Amino acid sequence: ASQTKYLLAIDGYHEETVKLAEVLDIPYVVHNPQGHRGTRVRPNTNVRFALDSVFDFYSDAPKAVLLEDDLIVSPDIISYFQETSWLLDTDPTLYAVNAFSYNSLAEVASNVSQLRRVEAYPYYGWMMSRETAQLAVQHWMTGMEADWDMWFIKRNDIRRSRDVIVPEISRTFHEGGQGVHVTGFYQTVFYQRIITNQLRDAKLADLSSLILENYESIVRRDIQRAELVSLNLFNNNGNPLPTNGTGPFVSFIFAGTKNDEENSFTVILMSMRTYEL
């Protein structure tokens, strides 16, 4: 941590937060809030402000990590980002590294060393290069038609079909249950289920395996050698679903209608105790 520089971006002037930053000798910037509390305008503009401010404040920083204030971080959070940062320099098909995974659930996640490539947006603790951040800030949404994170998925001129790295077991825990996006109900039924790493010296698996061509080769090999599992949720002949830590397994799902995609597929994912959305 002593090698890591910090900048605290405060959404509106809060005397207690400012005084705490001064006691801890942490530099801070104060954002003039836009929009009203409880609307998406406020977090959308605040994230843009933080992303712009950190690279302006540290003019020589090639990358930055953004942590929202409702996150509890794992003890290896800094080393996790330090060890993965070179991937953003080496692989042009990546645009962010996330500390959180929606599939960091006890039923489907077990390996603290494993990382994945996913098609996703930045969420709940993420690292981005200066180049990508500046591109995002320059083309930030003019209206407030979307949430800032989902907007990343929709704007392919920024994402450019690139992937995001996520850990199998999260390095952050989402604690907030009364925000613009997350209700107390959903915090309880989903986010409270997320498991996070508790090891200070957790080791990461071979990171070179995350380079696109290597990753695709591994996934292709796993699919070819996987055991076929037939999923019949209504009549599975008493056969249990595959258990965590075994496999690989593969299932083929046909979605012929919009109802299949939005409802049936959701039921399958819920039955497997994974992230259904």
Side-chain angles (χ1 to χ4, degrees), residues 92 122 146 210:
L210 295 166

Side-chain angles (χ1 to χ4, degrees), residues 229-242:
V229 174
S230 178
L231 292 177
N232 187 331
L233 301 179
F234 302 102
N235 181 22
N236 209 34
N237 297 323
N239 296 323
L241 292 172

Side-chain angles (χ1 to χ4, degrees), residues 10-249:
I10 307 173
D11 187 31
Y13 184 83
H14 298 281
E15 185 177 4
E16 296 89 346
T17 309
V18 169
K19 287 185 175 180
L20 178 61
E22 291 173 345
V23 168
L24 298 175
D25 196 25
I26 294 177
Y28 63 88
V29 289
V30 178
H31 178 222
N32 182 25
Q34 298 170 253
H36 301 289
R37 285 185 180 276
T39 67
R40 61 178 53 164
V41 175
R42 187 148 180 179
N44 283 355
T45 56
N46 188 47
V47 171
R48 182 190 185 280
F49 171 78
L51 196 58
D52 191 27
S53 297
V54 66
F55 286 107
D56 183 53
F57 196 88
Y58 295 115
S59 58
D60 59 342
K63 304 176 192 70
V65 172
L66 267 73
L67 293 170
E68 292 117 301
D69 64 355
D70 56 1
L71 301 177
I72 298 175
V73 300
S74 66
D76 70 329
I77 184 71
I78 294 178
S79 63
Y80 168 79
F81 281 121
Q82 288 176 335
E83 290 183 45
T84 55
S85 64
W86 69 272
L87 289 167
L88 295 181
D89 300 325
T90 305
D91 190 341
T93 66
L94 295 171
Y95 84 102
V97 175
N98 284 1
F100 182 91
S101 170
Y102 280 101
N103 276 314
S104 184
L105 302 164
E107 296 85 356
V108 293
S110 61
N111 189 347
V112 73
S113 301
Q114 187 65 53
L115 287 81
R116 312 282 183 195
R117 292 180 67 113
V118 297
E119 198 173 295
Y121 48 85
Y123 45 66
Y124 305 140
W126 44 282
M127 174 172 58
M128 186 171 284
S129 70
R130 172 182 291 270
E131 179 184 9
T132 302
Q134 289 179 336
L135 183 66
V137 168
Q138 291 168 5
H139 295 85
W140 204 263
M141 65 183 86
T142 53
M144 293 300 151
E145 67 280 359
D147 296 321
W148 70 267
D149 45 11
M150 293 302 294
W151 169 79
F152 267 96
I153 284 289
K154 297 176 181 178
R155 288 298 300 266
N156 198 45
D157 55 339
I158 296 172
R159 191 171 62 88
R160 297 175 179 175
S161 300
R162 292 179 289 177
D163 293 332
V164 174
I165 295 294
V166 300
E168 181 168 314
I169 295 183
S170 288
R171 265 53 177 190
T172 57
F173 180 83
H174 183 274
E175 183 68 9
Q178 291 184 327
V180 175
H181 308 105
V182 180
T183 64
F185 174 79
Y186 202 70
Q187 174 70 29
T188 300
V189 299
F190 175 71
Y191 285 102
Q192 291 297 135
R193 292 173 54 207
I194 294 291
I195 58 176
T196 56
N197 172 48
Q198 301 300 318
L199 302 175
R200 184 173 298 278
D201 58 348
K203 306 300 181 185
L204 300 182
D206 178 18
L207 295 178
S208 64
S209 65
L210 295 166
I211 301 298
L212 181 61
E213 59 182 18
N214 298 336
Y215 194 81
E216 288 185 337
S217 176
I218 293 170
V219 171
R220 190 178 299 111
R221 180 199 66 195
D222 284 346
I223 293 175
Q224 290 172 345
R225 69 187 181 97
E227 177 185 347
L228 180 63
V229 174
S230 178
L231 292 177
N232 187 331
L233 301 179
F234 302 102
N235 181 22
N236 209 34
N237 297 323
N239 296 323
L241 292 172
T243 57
N244 192 6
T246 58
F249 300 98

